Amino acid sequence: LCCFQLYGYCYQDSNDIPDTLTTITELGSPLEMIQLLQTSWEDRFRICLSLVRLLHYLAHSPLGSVTLLDFRPRQFVIVDGELKVTDLDDASVEESSCTSNSDCFMEFPARNFTLPCSVEGRCQSMNEKRNLYNAYRFFFTYLLPHSAPSSLRPLLDKIVNATGNHDKHMICTEYLALELSPSPSVNSEFTQKCVKSANTQYRRVPEAFIPDENYRCWPSYHHKGCLLSVFDVNEAIEICDSYSQCKAFVLTNQTTWTGRQLVFFKMASNHIVPDPDKITYVKVTD
């Protein structure tokens, strides 16, 4: 789940290129941080959640605790919305040896850490904590808080700060995986919120769609229009009320990976066409 899937390999020993090994793996997209920051928070959260699973696997692998010495975005790809490692050349299972705590010194550009030296002469959890801090500085600090739901920001700030400080790091990562998982039992915890619309009234038009009248918004699931995810109609009304150009919105039967419904927001409702799979709400003007 965390690393590239190997479909096959071929070993060939030729006169031109001896000891040649060719591997066939699944196809992934290069990780571009600027592009990721332009995607929806849900998609970025999904990447962070897959990174949490990777951290847990590396810390408890069959080989022991594994560290990625070159833990940077270029070592990862996106496969079906999940983050996966592509390059394991710099992976290591060796915990640093030590005679005192001063031997367990970890240096990073922004800050440094000193870990305890165990009675066995090994730096305690150095592999695990190196992975965690690199995940914090390359991924969590950018992808998690940016344009996150307001109801989640206090929890996300707590998680990001805890990972950066190595403060109860495993509790923190498990907290992220459990409390923010998209399972139905906790989905409403981070998506549903009390929404009080203004005095705006909307007329419901069942089995109808507005094919044109698009405007662009950010972040959007559609590059030529404003397509966002909502928990319910009340949240769609709140979003439409927040955009001065929004005069209508269309509920689709499509959902995101967390179960939130995709909605098109429109700048007019002059041309409405029949569509059995959609419901249109038109803002009623005085």
Side-chain angles (χ1 to χ4, degrees):
L1 294 177
C2 301
C3 302
F4 244 18
Q5 183 175 351
L6 178 67
Y7 290 126
Y9 63 92
C10 177
Y11 176 78
Q12 181 180 3
D13 189 1
S14 65
N15 294 328
D16 297 332
I17 307 177
D19 300 329
T20 301
L21 178 65
T22 302
T23 60
I24 300 93
T25 63
E26 61 185 329
L27 183 64
S29 302
L31 191 66
E32 299 290 345
M33 192 60 66
I34 295 179
Q35 293 180 2
L36 284 181
L37 292 175
Q38 296 173 347
T39 61
S40 70
W41 184 84
E42 283 179 277
D43 290 340
R44 284 182 274 117
F45 164 70
R46 185 178 185 183
I47 291 173
C48 289
L49 194 61
S50 62
L51 181 55
V52 168
R53 298 189 189 104
L54 172 62
L55 292 173
H56 185 270
Y57 177 80
L58 293 175
H60 304 88
S61 80
L63 299 176
S65 181
V66 180
T67 186
L68 301 180
L69 298 176
D70 192 10
F71 198 116
R72 286 183 286 182
R74 68 183 184 185
Q75 305 291 354
F76 299 86
V77 294
I78 303 296
V79 180
D80 296 330
E82 302 279 342
L83 190 74
K84 294 194 176 185
V85 182
T86 62
D87 190 352
L88 295 175
D89 291 345
D90 296 308
S92 174
V93 296
E94 294 294 330
E95 294 278 15
S96 299
S97 58
C98 59
T99 56
S100 65
N101 292 349
S102 60
D103 295 328
C104 302
F105 181 73
M106 290 198 303
E107 184 176 7
F108 295 97
R111 62 180 307 176
N112 304 320
F113 299 94
T114 300
L115 303 179
C117 180
S118 69
V119 294
E120 294 83 9
R122 296 290 179 180
C123 296
Q124 291 185 15
S125 304
M126 178 171 277
N127 286 348
E128 184 177 0
K129 293 190 175 183
R130 181 185 287 113
N131 289 337
L132 181 72
Y133 190 77
N134 281 326
Y136 156 78
R137 69 190 186 108
F138 286 120
F139 293 96
F140 291 150
T141 190
Y142 297 109
L143 300 182
L144 272 181
H146 182 58
S147 67
S150 57
S151 59
L152 275 186
R153 285 172 189 165
L155 175 58
L156 295 176
D157 289 341
K158 177 181 177 182
I159 289 173
V160 172
N161 291 334
T163 53
N165 293 326
H166 283 171
D167 180 16
K168 300 180 180 179
H169 59 282
M170 283 311 298
I171 295 177
C172 177
T173 51
E174 290 172 358
Y175 198 44
L176 176 65
L178 294 175
E179 293 298 324
L180 301 185
S181 82
S183 61
S185 61
V186 297
N187 188 33
S188 60
E189 180 71 21
F190 74 92
T191 56
Q192 187 176 19
K193 55 183 178 180
C194 295
V195 177
K196 293 184 179 180
S197 173
N199 294 325
T200 311
Q201 298 294 322
Y202 286 82
R203 176 169 55 91
R204 184 177 184 272
V205 185
E207 299 185 354
F209 179 61
I210 304 174
D212 302 312
E213 309 295 350
N214 291 314
Y215 66 89
R216 293 183 179 180
C217 67
W218 183 89
S220 173
Y221 287 91
H222 195 282
H223 68 282
K224 291 185 177 180
C226 186
L227 179 64
L228 304 174
S229 68
V230 302
F231 178 77
D232 57 14
V233 175
N234 288 332
E235 187 174 359
I237 291 175
E238 181 191 38
I239 293 174
C240 191
D241 286 347
S242 67
Y243 286 97
S244 59
Q245 64 266 55
C246 183
K247 305 301 179 185
F249 60 86
V250 180
L251 298 181
T252 72
N253 61 353
Q254 296 175 298
T255 59
T256 66
W257 69 282
T258 58
R260 287 169 62 88
Q261 192 169 11
L262 290 177
V263 177
F264 279 105
F265 293 88
K266 304 288 184 174
M267 61 190 303
S269 57
N270 298 324
H271 181 48
I272 299 179
V273 299
D275 191 323
D277 297 324
K278 297 180 177 62
I279 302 174
T280 293
Y281 285 79
V282 177
K283 185 179 292 187
V284 177
T285 58
D286 296 333

